[in-house]
Structure formats: C-alpha cells, structure tokens
C-alpha cells in the first residue's frame, strides 16, 4: 500500500523558504546586523586616546565658542565652579599623629601652625603664590576648576621663583591645556600621546608644553617651541612639578574629555532655534501694518502712460513724497492715505506656545548630562516644592563632591604638599620634636581636608533641626555639620568664645539655646524664585 503524499501549498513553501534565508539572530540584540533600528550603525572599536586625540582640538574649539555665545552653556559651567570651589577653598590640616609618632594634642597644635602659615601664603594680597601675580590660591583653584569643567582638563606647572622679602619660592602657573601637544606636531605613538610622555607602564613621566598658544597674536615663534617638563622633581622626593587634572573614564586615557561633548550638538541646535524664534518674534513685533494700493492696471496706464518705457519710479516717488511729510501711524485718531491706498494693521500674534516646553525638555537633558539640576541651570524654581528641591540637591551634591575631590587630588593637594615641604625646609613651619623627617613620611604630613562652599539650605529651620538631631544622636559631629555649610568649626568655636567673653564684660546674659519644636503639619509649599 503506497503512502499518501501531503501537498503543501506553494504560498506556504515560499514563506518558509524566505524565513530560512534570513541570517541567524545574535545572542545579544546590540550586535544584531539585521535590525532596522541598528542598521548602518557600525562604530569603530578604538582605544580611549584614539577616539579623542584626533578630534580634540575641533571639539574644544566648538565648546569654547558655544560657552562664549550661549548663556545656558556658560551658566552650566558657572554653577559647577561655584559649587565646587566658589570664593574659597580652605585648608583643614590633619597631620596623622599615629604615623608621625606624636600625640594628638601635638598634631592639633602642628595643624594650627600649618594653617596659619598657609593662610599667609594662599591669601597673600600681592598674589605671590601665583607665578603670574594675578590671583590668590582660591582664585587659582577656581581657574583650574573652570578649565576642568569646560574642556575636560586643566594644566598647571609649579615654578620655583625667588621674590624679594618673600620666604617662599613655590608658585603656581595655570597653563592653557591647548598648549599641551606633541613637539612639532609629530604623530602619537606608544610613548607620546597628546603631549604626554609615558613610561613602559603607561604612566606619565613628562609633559611637552608650547611656550605660547598656537592661536595667540604675535606668538607664532613661541608657539613652535616646546618645553619638556618632568612630572616630578626627583631630588629628595617626588616633588610635583606638573599638575594635569582630568577625569579618567577609561584605562589608557591620557587627556581629558569635557562632559559638554555629549550635549554639544543638542545645545547648538537649541541655540540656533532660540535665536530664530527671537528674530521672528522681533520682526513680527516691528511690523505694525501694511499699506496696500488698489490702483488697477488701467488707471496706472492712464495716469502714467501706456508706453512700456514709462518710468514707474515717478509714481513711487509721488507716493514716497506724500507719506514723507505725514506720520501715518502717529497719535492722531484719523489718518490720511494716498488715494486708492488701504491700511491693514498687523494683528497676527506670533505662535510661541510650544517653545517653552520644547526648551525645557532640552535643558533637562543638558542639565542631566552635566550632573546638575534643571532648576539650577534655568534658575526656574516656580514648579519645585521642598521635597523635590531637596532630592535634586542631594543628587547634585554627590556629583559636586566628586568634582571637588578630583580638583583636590589633582591640584590642591599637590600644591599644598610642595609648599609644606618648602615651609618645613626653610623653618617657617616647625614639626614636633619626635616627628620623623618630612621626606621619610610625606603622606603623614600632608593629610588634610579641603572645605569648599556650603551646600546651602532649602528650608533653614528643618535642616538646622536635622543637624542638631544628628549631633545629639552621635551620628555626626560639629566639624562635619559646619564644614558642610562651608565653615571651619574651630573658627566658629573661637568666635563663640570671644562673643561670650564680650557679653560677660558688658554684663549681658548669653542668649538662651534654641528649643527644637516640631513644625505643624502643613502642605508642602512651592519654592519661589
């Protein structure tokens, strides 16, 4: 008995054949070559330096142009610099008593001595800590922070400059990172990347810096002379000489990348769109109305002649002369027009209702890419309540703490270490008798905390109460709470003691300590501008 054959419709066979001809799916959708969403997306797999160094100059030039001409971009940089460094970056010396083999009281006394001498150096009114004699130490840190935030890296060189009547020779010179580059434009290789000279392990050992900026006026000769500056001065110990501050996001990265790069295209488009909207609104507002003539072709031919060579400018001149002696749109209630002319006022409003929402969406993305809140960037707090403002501030503060830490690690701490070595060497700062030599334990000597601007209050009453409760519960200290607001607790306590003594001398009683009371239940209020 023969087996019956099952007939498959031709349409089904064609569909099955088409399915089997498709390439196999990948294990990960990100590598699927047949996906319509990813079609044509084939980026090159490059190292960190290969991705950036060839594109660095053009990208930085565009960033600088954007921050010069766009208020939002400039504001974003100002906000980050204000929060990270602000007007002051104060030293809180913390020499390691155990590592130095001294008592904690001796360490505290030594720290007070260091801080007094450091203030004289960092806040010198003639700016002798600055090689260019223009800024005090907080100003130098602000300039370094601004370069770091704007172009992704900052560069400074520690100079040795004798000054008459000044005990210290250590001075800081902030250098434009654009001047860091390979001598004579030679290509990058395994030992030289973007002006950074590397050892066999990839560690920077020297920096090649132009004597002048390649785009400066009258600096063409100096711009083609490079100085090789070692990263450390190895005499005695590795004294810092070149400070290169940048955030290292990948292994093998030797130049900094600005966070503005990721949002550069969107910000440029937003700037052009905003400019176009403003121009259109200005033109629309400047056109008060239009004058239409009802002069027909026949009347014109009769008035001006039907000769094709007739000069029509005569008629136009007549109309210009007529209106030249009259203010058509003046304060008069009635106006007189040229015969056959009609006045139509411009009553069409400019439709801009969708522009604010469009701009807000762009600014939210831009602020998120920079690690700040939309409210800080736009200064618009009209739709923000206490809880959302506090939550945003907490998230932003973590980003700012990381930014400040990179500035401290890369610049403030090395400058402090170089100064302290010199101050001890020349006898301006005297260590405790039992402490080891500075060169034997430099890390123990230079332990410190740096106090920047305070995070501020959203609701001063609530947050002061919370700080008092944390101290009372032993989960925080007065030093930490004061430093979070940009203050030095030792200065606060010393001032309180002076005020108490003055009150006692004047026969006045000290104010009663505040009593913490729970605020009544109420709806969250909006944070007003």
């Amino acid at each position: 008995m023969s087996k019956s054959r099952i007939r498959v419709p031709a349409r089904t066979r064609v569909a099955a054949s088409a399915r089997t001809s498709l390439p196999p799916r990948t294990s990960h959708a990100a590598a699927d070559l047949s996906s319509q969403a990813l079609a044509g997306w084939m980026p090159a797999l490059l190292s960190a330096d290969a991705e950036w160094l060839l594109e660095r100059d053009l990208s930085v030039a565009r960033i600088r142009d954007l921050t010069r001409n766009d208020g939002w971009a400039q504001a974003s940089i100002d906000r980050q610099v204000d929060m990270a460094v602000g007007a002051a970056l104060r030293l809180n010396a913390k020499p390691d008593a155990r590592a130095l083999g001294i008592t904690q009281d001796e360490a505290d006394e030594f720290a007070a001595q260091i801080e007094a001498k450091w203030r004289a150096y960092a806040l010198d009114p003639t700016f002798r800590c600055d090689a260019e004699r223009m800024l005090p130490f907080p100003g130098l840190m602000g300039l370094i922070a601004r370069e770091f935030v704007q172009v992704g890296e900052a560069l400074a060189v520690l100079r040795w400059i004798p000054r008459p009547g000044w005990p210290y020779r250590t001075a800081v010179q902030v250098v434009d990172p654009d001047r860091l580059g390979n001598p004579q434009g030679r290509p990058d290789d395994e030992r030289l990347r973007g002006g950074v000279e590397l050892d066999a392990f990839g560690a920077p050992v020297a920096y090649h810096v132009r004597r002048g900026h390649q785009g400066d006026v009258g600096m063409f000769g100096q711009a083609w002379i490079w100085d090789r500056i070692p990263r450390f001065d190895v005499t005695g110990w590795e004294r810092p000489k070149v400070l290169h501050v940048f955030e290292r996001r990948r292994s093998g990265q030797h130049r900094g990348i600005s966070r503005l790069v990721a949002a550069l295209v969107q910000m440029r488009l937003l700037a052009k769109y905003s400019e176009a909207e403003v121009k259109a609104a200005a033109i629309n507002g400047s056109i008060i109305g239009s004058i239409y003539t009802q002069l027909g072709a026949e009347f014109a031919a009769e008035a001006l002649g039907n000769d094709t060579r007739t000069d029509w400018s005569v008629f136009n001149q007549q109309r210009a002369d007529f209106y030249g002696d009259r203010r058509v749109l003046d304060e008069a209630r009635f106006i007189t027009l040229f015969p056959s002319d009609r006045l139509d006022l411009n009553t069409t409003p400019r439709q801009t209702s969708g522009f604010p929402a469009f701009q807000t969406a762009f600014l939210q993305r831009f602020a998120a890419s920079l690690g700040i809140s939309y409210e800080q960037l736009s200064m618009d707090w009209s739709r923000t309540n206490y809880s959302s403002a506090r939550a945003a501030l907490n998230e932003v503060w973590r980003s700012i703490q990381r930014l400040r830490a990179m500035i401290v690690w890369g610049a403030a701490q090395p400058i402090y270490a170089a100064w302290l070595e010199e101050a001890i060497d020349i006898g301006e700062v005297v260590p405790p008798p039992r402490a080891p030599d500075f060169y034997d334990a430099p890390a123990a000597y230079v332990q410190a905390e740096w106090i920047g601007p305070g995070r501020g209050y959203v609701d001063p009453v609530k947050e002061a109460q919370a700080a008092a409760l944390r101290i009372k519960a032993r989960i925080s200290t007065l030093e930490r709470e004061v430093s979070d607001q940009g203050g030095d607790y030792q200065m606060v306590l010393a001032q309180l003691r002076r005020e108490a003594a003055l009150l006692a001398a004047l026969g006045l009683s000290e104010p009663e300590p505040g009593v913490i009371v729970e605020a009544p239940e109420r709806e969250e209020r909006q944070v007003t501008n």
Side-chain angles (χ1 to χ4, degrees), residues 115-192:
E115 290 174 8
K117 295 295 184 179
W118 170 258
R119 287 192 294 270
Y121 171 79
L123 303 178
D124 172 47
T126 59
F127 313 132
R128 284 174 284 194
C129 69
D130 181 7
E132 298 177 357
R133 301 292 296 272
M134 298 179 70
L135 294 170
F137 176 77
L140 292 171
M141 290 300 100
L143 181 57
I144 289 174
R146 185 171 298 278
E147 288 282 5
F148 176 49
V149 172
Q150 183 175 11
V151 301
E153 60 183 343
L155 189 69
V157 179
L158 291 181
R159 304 295 189 183
W160 188 258
I161 306 176
R163 302 191 190 278
W166 182 245
Y168 308 108
R169 300 186 178 188
T170 301
V172 184
Q173 182 181 17
V174 179
V175 178
D176 193 324
D178 293 351
R179 291 167 54 186
L180 181 62
N182 295 345
Q184 306 304 322
R186 57 179 280 191
D188 295 321
D189 55 39
E190 67 276 6
R191 292 298 180 90
L192 189 63

Side-chain angles (χ1 to χ4, degrees), residues 328-346:
V328 177
L329 297 176
D330 54 12
E331 297 179 358
R333 186 176 298 274
F334 298 100
I335 59 176
T336 303
L337 296 178
F338 191 75
S340 79
D341 285 359
R342 184 183 81 252
L343 173 64
D344 287 350
L345 295 176
N346 181 19

